[in-house]
Amino acid sequence: MENKLDKNINENLLNIKNLTIEYATDDEIVYAVNDLNIQLKEGETLGLVGETGAGKTTSALGILRLVPNPPGKIKSGQVYFQGEDLLKLPEAKMRSIRGNRISMIFQDPMTSLNPVLTVGEQIAEVISIHEKLPATAAMEKAKTMLEKVGIPSARAHEYPHQFSGGMKQRVGIAIALACSPKLLIADEPTTALDVTIQAQVLELMNELKSDSSTSMILITHDLGVVAQVCDKVAIMYAGEIIESGTLYDVYENTQHPYTIGLFNSIPDLESTENRLKPIQGLMPDPTDLPSGCKFHPRCPYAKEICSKETPKTIHLTEDHNVKCFVASGEVILEGGLR
């Protein structure tokens, strides 16, 4: 009889189970990602949301086995992609997957490109390695990819410094999508861009993703961007997923106090409030995480149990999950969460 994990592995393109990643130095251990669980079906887009330092980028690097070692180390967990546990594959097999079946758009377009190679050469290199095409054919396909992302193919022989920030990000997208990956990881792809260019880049990513039926993990701290692009949302805090579900689940039926705090921090044009309601306090030090629920020192609803016991994941619906004693009903509040 097929157990639940086997079923998830077979049904989902990506199934991350209990992933834990640490950075160890001589003096301390940084608990970057703690018991992470993510499921993603083919064609879906997941928004991974959280403050700086929540562990979003480390999670993405963990999927690709690119966590710098030392000092980083994947301590435990499984990352099943198309039925294979990536953490058990030999390095040669992983190299054949990176840039081919799984691609990543890195956070800073200014530094993610090689300054001494033309943009055409950088796209063609990926194509040559994974599709075994001769240099001329690879360059022709690279020019086609540039056209797809809105850059004239004649600019293939120019260097990254000759492009604007938005153009560099388009080149990064062209590199990531050159081999039609099944999974695209986009690490804050619009952070360094102005609002107009952000909208163009997001629209472009949506179009290209839809054309090739690519699944995507979009790492961001912008809930507005998630609403535009994603099917599912996972809210990350101190290396953990504390609430996840469909857009409707998380946006319209918010359950975790931290998620509620994030939404209350967003300006609302229809509200008569004069001031925003920021979340009190700061993210915990990842070398010294609090006991119990990691959010309890900042939580306005915290009770004694929250500081002593770690909440388990509660499945509110098939897709909607939350780690919280208040949401699970173990801490009762008058008038509900809001």
Side-chain angles (χ1 to χ4, degrees):
M1 185 176 177
E2 189 178 49
N3 64 36
K4 189 172 181 181
L5 177 59
D6 290 336
K7 186 181 178 186
N8 283 338
I9 292 168
N10 294 331
E11 284 184 354
N12 297 318
L13 176 74
L14 179 71
N15 197 76
I16 300 175
K17 185 77 175 168
N18 305 125
L19 182 65
T20 298
I21 302 172
E22 296 175 357
Y23 293 95
T25 67
D26 292 337
D27 303 320
E28 56 193 12
I29 295 175
V30 175
Y31 301 98
V33 176
N34 307 299
D35 205 28
L36 186 80
N37 292 278
I38 288 175
Q39 291 82 41
L40 189 66
K41 290 185 171 66
E42 285 202 25
E44 282 185 335
T45 298
L46 170 73
L48 192 57
V49 181
E51 294 174 77
T52 299
K56 306 184 298 297
T57 298
T58 298
S59 301
L61 295 176
I63 294 170
L64 287 164
R65 275 176 44 187
L66 289 175
V67 176
N69 183 10
K73 186 175 183 182
I74 297 175
K75 294 289 289 182
S76 60
Q78 296 90 40
V79 179
Y80 288 99
F81 175 73
Q82 293 185 317
E84 291 183 293
D85 186 354
L86 300 182
L87 302 186
K88 292 182 178 176
L89 296 181
E91 180 56 29
K93 182 71 182 291
M94 271 307 299
R95 282 199 296 268
S96 73
I97 290 173
R98 295 186 198 111
N100 185 17
R101 288 158 59 192
I102 306 176
S103 284
M104 186 164 177
I105 301 170
F106 291 93
Q107 186 168 0
D108 186 358
M110 312 299 174
T111 58
S112 60
L113 297 175
N114 189 328
V116 299
L117 294 178
T118 67
V119 296
E121 286 171 334
Q122 294 186 57
I123 302 169
E125 181 181 27
V126 178
I127 297 164
S128 295
I129 290 170
H130 294 296
E131 298 187 0
K132 312 299 182 192
L133 291 178
T136 308
M139 182 57 77
E140 285 307 309
K141 185 169 181 183
K143 290 178 178 179
T144 303
M145 285 306 302
L146 280 177
E147 293 282 354
K148 277 190 178 180
V149 297
I151 298 175
S153 59
R155 300 197 67 183
H157 303 292
E158 295 182 13
Y159 291 87
H161 73 269
Q162 295 173 274
F163 291 78
S164 67
M167 287 286 196
K168 285 179 187 173
Q169 194 61 289
R170 287 169 183 264
V171 172
I173 293 170
I175 292 171
L177 293 173
C179 295
S180 302
K182 295 300 293 178
L183 174 63
L184 176 65
I185 302 172
D187 187 4
E188 304 204 29
T190 59
T191 297
L193 310 177
D194 65 55
V195 177
T196 317
I197 304 302
Q198 276 187 30
Q200 291 174 6
V201 167
L202 288 172
E203 185 180 354
L204 171 66
M205 286 170 61
N206 261 340
E207 285 173 9
L208 296 173
K209 186 178 76 72
S210 151
D211 290 346
S212 54
S213 300
T214 300
S215 301
M216 181 164 72
I217 296 176
L218 176 64
I219 297 171
T220 184
H221 55 263
D222 190 330
L223 287 162
V225 167
V226 171
Q228 281 181 269
V229 176
C230 300
D231 309 302
K232 287 179 168 181
V233 192
I235 307 295
M236 199 163 185
Y237 185 81
E240 297 179 347
I241 302 289
I242 48 96
E243 183 166 8
S244 62
T246 63
L247 268 184
Y248 178 83
D249 289 334
V250 176
Y251 279 62
E252 300 297 331
N253 188 26
T254 316
Q255 292 295 314
H256 199 285
Y258 176 67
T259 316
I260 291 169
L262 288 181
F263 281 112
N264 285 341
S265 301
I266 300 172
D268 182 355
L269 296 178
E270 297 177 2
S271 172
T272 56
E273 296 275 349
N274 291 325
R275 296 179 68 86
L276 297 177
K277 298 174 184 173
I279 302 170
Q280 298 301 315
L282 299 170
M283 280 271 291
D285 181 348
T287 65
D288 184 24
L289 293 174
S291 60
C293 172
K294 305 297 182 286
F295 184 62
H296 88 263
R298 304 174 69 187
C299 181
Y301 310 107
K303 303 295 181 186
E304 189 177 356
I305 189 176
C306 302
S307 63
K308 292 183 175 178
E309 296 182 27
T310 302
K312 293 181 171 62
T313 300
I314 306 297
H315 304 288
L316 302 173
T317 66
E318 185 180 351
D319 292 312
H320 196 182
N321 305 305
V322 63
K323 275 186 175 181
C324 179
F325 289 118
V326 177
S328 69
E330 293 186 46
V331 172
I332 308 299
L333 301 172
E334 291 182 15
L337 270 184
R338 290 193 175 184

